[in-house]
């Protein structure tokens, strides 16, 4: 459809609304509405409490009006106009639910359904699908038109799954990958009636530099994008009497798992989740917070050693900052896009992988258990963790992967439902020992700035022998996309930077390449907001939950009895009884990795 010229002109003249801008008066559904100029019809209607359905729309990300679900009737204009990207005019009269509008919306949804695999009972998004909700709301109970499904092939062993038979061509995945993550993995392919969304350049997904951040999944309104489902592998291990099946729960999971069951954060505690997971069948329930504290000991010691080498100078002195290595999406990004920095990424494994390495060595020894019979499952807010666990460099002493199976929060919820467990009716239980204790410093690993904050707390102690105020480094917190601060560690300035979202990471790395900035320590998380905004988290269409979930984690840290990683008694016992000390030979063997030991597509050999 082509918009009326006067509406198009109003859209082209749009500028950000500023305080003091003049207002516009219009009539929407026989109701007088006054809003600032340059307000969309959609926002004007919402301001008046009038609901207009949308499908492709995402504020400031995807405002292209492609789905035509949000169309409205404007008096004096023959064609219906998209309310999401057309702006109000003084005196405009709008009808949001006239018979003409209702018929058009219904027809548009019916046309979308002709190219949609509507096997809703077997779809992971059933009950949480924008198209399904729209069809129900518009009373589309019968489809009189023939379906035409593309049946495009996909490698279902890949951690990220695309099903084009469920795609509605909303282009959200294209926009979030291009505008926010700056990777451009998705694009429109073919032309005219054959237009579809696919991998850019007509490549196989495995040939791309996809970071597996999963932001395309959480921004998809249907089930066209999802993670590979590994729930049956976990159920099979639980059913195997020879296996000791344990599960580790990542810090960010405690801030989000309850959303799948309508539970408030105060109710959806890690202790309640532990009880739920035991009812699902897991023999041991542990906390990745333990290995997050372990990561701080290794990565913090690595940072101090690097800084001492830089201070000593010489031709072999390291140059540039050390980057954190906790986020596999970030590691994939830097390897695929800035391979010159790979040598500056910490060699410390991520907390997920450190946990698996310890579970199949120290923990197996404590229980006098054959490591081959230990099946380690991870509950993660992440899709990239599935790929990380399968890397050839993440194999332990037993010859098996450190981590056997990775589940997203959504998969975890599906396992709980499949086991007919109602979390609201389960009494909380403590996590298992010795890998179930974590500090406040470990909890905040899931929020942007958390790794930096935790590392600086323990680095200060390692330098001075005294604990700082646990909130001394709070300036690294917040939702700014790229933040930098310099802190004093006993007379030594430490220049730090924190970035979240790969678009911000790209800006930071470009500045480093250009010599515009210089740091000692840099934290990068691939997903906006950090792991709390991860691609494996519960999906709330059109809502960004990272900031809210992050506040939950910072609140748990503030209320924790122990807020320093080096004071974790389980970590202390692990070093005393098994590892020796940070960066020891055994620690290097089990807890560190060669970041160059595997290649991304296109990465120089």
């Amino acid at each position: 459809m082509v918009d009326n010229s006067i509406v198009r002109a109003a859209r082209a003249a749009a500028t950000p609304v500023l305080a003091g801008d003049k207002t516009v008066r219009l009539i929407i559904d026989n109701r007088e509405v006054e809003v600032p100029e340059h307000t969309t019809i959609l926002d004007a209607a919402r301001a008046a409490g009038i609901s207009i359905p949308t499908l492709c729309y995402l504020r400031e990300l995807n405002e292209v009006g492609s789905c035509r679900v949000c169309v409205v009737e404007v008096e004096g204009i023959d064609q219906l106009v998209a309310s999401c990207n057309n702006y109000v005019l003084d005196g405009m009269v709008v009808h949001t639910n006239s018979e003409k509008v209702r018929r058009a919306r219904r027809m548009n949804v019916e046309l979308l359904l002709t190219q949609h695999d509507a096997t809703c009972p077997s779809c992971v998004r059933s009950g949480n699908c924008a198209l399904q909700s729209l069809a129900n709301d518009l009373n589309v109970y019968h489809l009189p038109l023939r379906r035409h499904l593309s049946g495009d092939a996909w490698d279902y062993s890949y951690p990220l799954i695309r099903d084009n038979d469920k795609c509605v061509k909303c282009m959200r995945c294209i926009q979030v990958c291009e505008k926010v993550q700056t990777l451009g993995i998705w694009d429109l392919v073919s032309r005219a009636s054959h237009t579809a969304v696919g991998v850019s350049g007509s490549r196989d997904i495995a040939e791309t530099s996809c970071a597996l951040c999963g932001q395309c999944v959480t921004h998809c309104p249907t089930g066209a994008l999802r993670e590979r489902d590994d729930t049956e592998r976990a159920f099979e291990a639980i059913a195997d009497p020879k296996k000791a099946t344990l599960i580790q729960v990542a810090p960010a999971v405690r801030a989000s798992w309850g959303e799948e069951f309508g539970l408030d954060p105060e109710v959806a505690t890690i202790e309640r989740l532990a009880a739920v997971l035991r009812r699902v069948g897991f023999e041991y329930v542990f906390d990745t917070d333990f290995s997050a504290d372990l990561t701080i000991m290794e990565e913090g010691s690595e940072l101090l050693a690097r800084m001492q080498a830089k201070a000593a100078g010489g031709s072999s002195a390291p140059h540039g900052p050390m980057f954190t290595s906790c986020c596999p999406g970030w590691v994939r990004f830097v390897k695929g896009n800035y391979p010159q920095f790979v040598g500056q990424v910490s060699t410390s494994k991520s907390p997920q992988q450190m946990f698996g390495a310890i579970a199949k060595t120290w923990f197996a020894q404590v229980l006098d258990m054959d490591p081959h019979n230990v099946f380690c499952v991870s509950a993660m807010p992440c899709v990239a963790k599935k790929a990380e666990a399968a890397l050839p460099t993440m194999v332990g002493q037993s010859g098996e992967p450190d981590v056997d199976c990775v589940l997203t929060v959504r998969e975890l919820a599906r396992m709980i439902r499949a086991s007919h467990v109602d979390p609201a009716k389960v009494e909380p239980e403590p996590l298992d020992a010795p890998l179930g204790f974590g500090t406040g410093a470990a909890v905040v690993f899931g929020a942007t700035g958390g790794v930096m904050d935790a590392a600086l707390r323990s680095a200060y102690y390692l330098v001075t022998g005294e604990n700082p105020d646990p909130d001394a480094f709070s300036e690294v917190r917040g939702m700014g996309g790229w933040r930098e601060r310099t802190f004093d560690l006993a007379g030594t300035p430490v220049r730090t930077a924190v970035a979240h979202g790969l678009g911000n990471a790209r800006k930071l790395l470009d500045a480093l390449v250009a010599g515009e900035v210089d740091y000692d320590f840099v934290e990068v998380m691939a997903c906006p907001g950090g792991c709390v905004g991860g691609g494996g988290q519960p999906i709330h269409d059109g809502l960004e939950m990272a900031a809210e979930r992050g506040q939950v984690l910072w609140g748990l840290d503030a209320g924790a009895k122990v807020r320093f990683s080096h004071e974790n008694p389980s970590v202390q016992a692990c070093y005393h009884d098994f590892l020796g000390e940070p960066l020891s030979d055994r620690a290097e063997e089990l807890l560190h990795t060669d970041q160059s030991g595997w290649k991304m597509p296109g990465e120089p050999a």
Side-chain angles (χ1 to χ4, degrees), residues 237-272:
I238 289 171
D240 187 343
K242 297 180 181 179
K243 296 289 186 183
T245 308
L246 57 87
I247 185 168
Q248 56 167 311
V249 181
V253 174
R254 63 194 4 90
S256 64
W257 77 271
E259 296 167 13
E260 291 278 356
F261 303 95
L263 301 179
D264 292 332
E266 298 78 13
V267 177
T269 61
I270 185 64
E271 291 79 15
R272 186 179 298 274

Side-chain angles (χ1 to χ4, degrees), residues 105-219:
R105 287 178 184 158
R106 183 184 173 99
M107 177 56 72
N108 288 335
V109 169
E110 287 178 345
L111 289 172
L112 287 172
L113 287 171
T114 64
Q115 300 179 56
H116 184 78
D117 179 6
T119 52
C120 298
S122 59
C123 178
V124 295
R125 291 294 296 274
S126 183
N128 185 21
C129 171
L131 181 61
Q132 186 183 50
S133 297
L134 267 174
N136 290 337
D137 291 346
L138 294 171
N139 200 26
V140 180
Y141 60 90
H142 171 66
L143 190 64
L145 307 171
R146 283 185 59 190
R147 282 197 174 91
H148 301 274
L149 303 180
S150 62
D152 293 343
W154 193 265
D155 178 5
Y156 284 86
S157 68
Y158 197 71
L160 179 66
I161 306 298
R162 181 175 191 88
D163 184 351
N164 256 12
D165 286 345
K166 294 183 181 294
C167 179
V168 292
K169 304 179 183 67
C170 68
M171 298 190 290
R172 287 187 186 184
C173 58
I174 295 175
Q175 300 279 38
V176 73
C177 191
E178 178 64 36
K179 292 181 179 179
V180 178
Q181 302 297 71
T182 65
L183 283 169
I185 301 300
W186 308 111
D187 200 358
L188 290 175
V189 298
S190 299
R191 296 181 179 180
S193 61
H194 297 289
T195 299
V197 176
V199 180
S200 60
S202 299
R203 299 169 291 173
D204 289 334
I205 186 67
E207 298 173 350
T208 73
S209 59
C210 177
L212 290 172
C213 65
Q215 291 303 302
C216 56
V217 177
T218 56
H219 288 77

Side-chain angles (χ1 to χ4, degrees), residues 292-315:
D293 284 327
L294 196 62
T295 299
I296 288 300
M297 298 305 295
E298 293 298 319
E299 198 167 72
S301 298
E302 190 180 353
L303 171 64
L304 292 179
R306 183 182 179 89
M307 291 185 64
Q308 290 168 358
K310 288 175 70 173
S315 58

